[in-house]
């Protein structure tokens, strides 16, 4: 029987680190293809499967399923050396890439120069720094937009590559000597030898696969509040992390985005600088940080902790036109006597009508909170909504009501099996 065409998009909807990979991994079981459409090695996913830990940066986490095809699309930026290392690490853990990984020849390259520029810019900004992951993401995207960047497919053309690389250094006011340039080109040639078999025009494949009935899962990296346009600018990443990024990043017609799920952590976290109105600094924050292991996968930085911000969450749910919600790390909240959800922002005597667009306005807001009772129970083994403590159910219902979308999935632990499916 012919299958229905389908695509599912899974997006982080706050400031990243929503445990999207856990959700993608869970839903990936029924996907034929998993696609990364933006970002680069600034992302860090840890997946625990059958007690084994796998860390992903640029490779889609669908790779863990032995027959799933995985795509790194045009809208991403790739450090060819980092990607090779990541693939070799996963290969050593028994993952087979042959015929399963497809990298778009138009994906941007992150070069050593971009990492240097990233850190020197942060240093220059001083106390106004963004708090980037230091992976060269911003400078790499800036060069792509300025049309002086290098792309994956350039690696196949050594003379052109040399010219473009020289001109890129020149544009950044640098003049490497011939030996340094030769060394870099030789290193790029060796990375290309490793990667070339995976590089193709993936947009064509994606459209073909969709039309032939394969189910395609688009895996967002970072989160909507880090979107370069609609996030808490300038404290954002440099790509389009929101739903529209799927289409421009993967060459996939927007009308073929059949379903969009937004992933939210049961509480708030943020790494790097920038406004975070519901941030807390007390013992509860410390408890959540430790129990939730809230330290960056890519940088190891401790994450900032806060209450669930339903104002921000509703903004991103609307921006992405979410069909449903996945709530993760609910188990981390067990044992906290009282929980808060931000239901409004105040500026002086004024309750703001919507999420402010300027970061300075966000910084000067006072959150209004709904206080709910907590629960004292280990919920890691719960596999049905009805078996959750009443307070946990009420907490989820409050989120669902405030975001005006159904919760379809709740994660109560790291393992695939620790997932409650509601729909
Ligand atoms: P960049 O993407 O490295 O340029 O960093 C820009 C901002 O995005 C910083 O606040 C980072 O901490 C944040 N960021 C980038 N990638 C991630 C991620 O995967 N999770 C959470 N935050 C991220």
């Amino acid at each position: 029987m012919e299958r229905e065409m389908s695509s599912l998009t899974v997006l982080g909807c706050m400031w990243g680190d929503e445990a999207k990979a856990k959700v993608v991994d869970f839903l990936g079981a029924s996907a034929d293809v998993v696609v990364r459409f933006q970002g680069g090695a600034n992302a860090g996913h840890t997946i625990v499967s059958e007690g084994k830990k796998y860390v992903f940066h640029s490779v889609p986490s669908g790779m863990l399923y032995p027959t799933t095809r995985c795509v790194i699309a045009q809208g991403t930026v790739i450090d060819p050396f980092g990607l090779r290392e990541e693939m070799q690490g996963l290969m050593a853990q028994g993952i087979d890439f042959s015929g399963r990984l497809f990298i778009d020849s138009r994906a941007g390259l992150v070069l050593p120069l971009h990492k240097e520029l990233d850190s020197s810019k942060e240093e220059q900004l001083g106390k106004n720094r963004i708090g980037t992951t230091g992976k060269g993401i911003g400078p790499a995207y800036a060069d792509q937009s300025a049309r002086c960047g290098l792309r994956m497919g350039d690696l196949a053309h050594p003379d052109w590559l040399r010219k473009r690389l020289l001109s890129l250094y020149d544009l950044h006011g640098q003049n490497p000597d011939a030996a340094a340039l030769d060394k870099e080109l030789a290193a790029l040639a060796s990375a290309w030898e490793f990667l070339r078999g995976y590089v193709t025009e993936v947009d064509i494949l994606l459209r073909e696969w969709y039309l032939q009935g394969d189910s395609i899962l688009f895996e967002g990296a970072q989160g909507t509040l880090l979107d370069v346009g609609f996030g808490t600018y300038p404290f954002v990443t440099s790509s389009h992390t929101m739903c529209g990024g799927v289409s421009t990043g993967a060459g996939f017609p927007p009308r073929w985005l059949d379903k969009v799920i937004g992933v939210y952590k049961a509480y708030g976290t943020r790494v790097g600088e920038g406004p975070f109105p519901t941030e807390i600094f007390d013992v509860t924050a410390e408890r959540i940080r430790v129990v939730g292991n809230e330290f960056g996968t890519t940088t190891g930085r401790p994450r900032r902790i806060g209450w669930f911000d339903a104002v921000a969450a509703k903004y991103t749910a609307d921006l992405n036109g979410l069909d449903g919600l996945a709530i993760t790390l609910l188990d981390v909240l067990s044992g906290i006597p009282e929980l808060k959800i931000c239901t409004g922002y105040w500026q002086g005597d004024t309750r703001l009508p919507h999420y402010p667009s300027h970061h300075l306005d966000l910084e000067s807001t006072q959150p209004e909170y709904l206080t709910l009772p907590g629960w004292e129970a280990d919920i890691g083994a719960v596999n049905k909504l009805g078996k959750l403590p009443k307070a946990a159910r009420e907490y989820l219902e409050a989120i669902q009501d405030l975001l005006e979308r159904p919760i379809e999935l709740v994660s109560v632990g790291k393992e695939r099996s620790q997932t409650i499916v509601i729909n």
Side-chain angles (χ1 to χ4, degrees):
M1 198 176 79
E2 211 179 319
R3 288 171 48 195
E4 266 187 37
M5 296 179 282
S6 75
S7 76
L8 174 66
T9 298
V10 177
L11 300 172
C13 284
M14 298 298 277
W15 289 288
D17 305 323
E18 298 91 353
K20 292 174 288 295
K22 155 80 197 268
V23 176
V24 168
D25 178 60
F26 185 81
L27 298 170
S30 55
D32 299 303
V33 185
V34 179
V35 184
R36 272 284 306 272
F37 56 92
Q38 47 69 228
N42 47 352
H45 299 326
T46 308
I47 297 176
V48 179
S49 173
E50 287 159 12
K52 260 171 108 178
K53 190 171 146 183
Y54 302 85
V55 178
F56 292 85
H57 290 289
S58 287
V59 173
S61 43
M63 220 58 217
L64 282 183
Y65 287 99
T67 58
T68 306
R69 281 157 276 157
C70 288
V71 167
I72 303 177
Q74 175 280 133
T76 60
V77 283
I78 302 298
D79 164 4
F81 309 115
L83 178 59
R84 176 176 58 183
E85 197 182 318
E86 184 180 338
M87 288 171 67
Q88 284 170 336
L90 290 166
M91 284 170 178
Q93 285 186 290
I95 295 185
D96 181 12
F97 281 77
S98 46
R100 298 182 49 217
L101 180 70
F102 304 85
I103 305 169
D104 200 290
S105 57
R106 288 156 295 195
L109 290 187
V110 180
L111 298 169
L113 168 72
H114 294 124
K115 292 188 188 168
E116 279 165 33
L117 291 169
D118 196 359
S119 52
S120 60
K121 191 162 170 230
E122 286 283 274
E123 225 166 88
Q124 256 174 5
L125 285 169
K127 68 177 180 33
N128 294 320
R129 70 186 183 280
I130 308 296
T132 72
T133 59
K135 297 286 176 186
I137 303 298
Y141 274 116
D143 280 347
Q144 292 300 322
S145 290
R147 296 163 293 188
C148 58
L150 271 59
R151 310 210 290 182
M152 195 54 90
D154 290 332
L155 296 176
H157 303 278
D159 292 341
W160 166 256
L161 182 69
R162 171 179 284 271
K163 247 192 262 168
R164 290 286 286 182
L165 190 58
L166 256 177
S167 132
L168 184 65
Y169 274 116
D170 191 39
L171 282 163
H172 286 289
Q174 296 191 23
N175 184 19
D177 61 36
L181 196 75
D182 284 346
K183 197 169 159 206
E184 185 168 357
L185 287 166
L188 285 169
S190 130
W192 176 242
E193 267 319 296
F194 181 85
L195 295 172
R196 61 184 300 165
Y198 304 98
V199 176
T200 181
E201 281 97 13
V202 297
D203 63 306
I204 298 174
L205 293 174
L206 284 175
R207 293 190 298 270
E208 261 173 35
W209 289 338
Y210 180 80
L211 290 174
Q212 79 188 24
D214 289 348
S215 67
I216 302 181
L217 194 159
F218 292 98
E219 168 182 18
Q222 292 85 47
T224 301
L225 294 175
L226 290 174
D227 183 273
V228 67
F230 285 89
T232 50
Y233 192 88
F235 302 99
V236 292
T237 190
S238 296
S239 63
H240 288 289
T241 56
M242 53 191 275
C243 192
V246 176
S247 185
T248 53
F252 196 75
R255 286 191 296 182
W256 291 0
L257 299 178
D258 299 316
K259 181 164 183 177
V260 188
I261 296 283
V263 186
Y264 296 86
K265 213 176 255 189
Y267 47 91
T269 62
R270 173 163 204 173
V271 281
E273 309 303 316
F276 184 6
T278 65
E279 185 167 14
I280 49 171
F281 303 91
D282 55 8
V283 287
T284 305
E286 199 41 45
R287 182 196 161 107
I288 291 177
R289 184 173 298 115
V290 172
V291 179
N293 190 26
E294 294 296 354
F295 298 88
T297 312
T298 303
T299 58
R301 291 180 289 180
R303 296 181 183 139
R304 298 157 67 191
I305 309 287
W307 296 119
F308 187 91
D309 185 341
V311 179
K314 176 71 165 57
Y315 166 66
T316 63
D318 289 346
L319 269 176
N320 292 309
L322 296 184
D323 297 300
L325 313 172
I327 305 296
T328 58
L329 291 126
L330 185 68
D331 52 303
V332 174
L333 295 181
S334 295
I336 298 174
E338 221 170 47
L339 302 169
K340 291 185 180 182
I341 295 179
C342 171
T343 51
Y345 287 164
W346 288 83
Q347 224 160 28
D349 294 339
T350 312
R351 192 175 194 269
L352 301 185
H354 50 70
Y355 194 71
S357 59
H358 201 283
H359 76 96
L360 290 178
D361 290 328
L362 252 181
E363 263 156 15
S364 60
T365 55
Q366 284 303 317
E368 163 195 286
Y369 287 114
L370 169 72
T371 303
L372 293 165
W375 58 91
E376 183 77 57
D378 179 358
I379 58 171
V382 173
N383 57 7
K384 283 207 171 66
L385 189 68
K387 290 190 183 158
L388 281 175
K390 182 164 171 275
R393 273 182 282 132
E394 283 173 0
Y395 185 76
L396 293 174
E397 273 160 28
I399 291 177
Q400 189 165 258
D401 291 348
L402 288 160
L403 271 58
E404 298 173 21
R405 265 104 184 153
I407 295 176
E408 303 201 1
L409 209 132
V410 180
S411 170
V412 290
K414 286 197 176 84
E415 289 284 344
R416 272 180 194 163
S417 57
Q418 294 177 291
T419 311
I420 304 173
V421 181
I422 300 172
N423 248 324

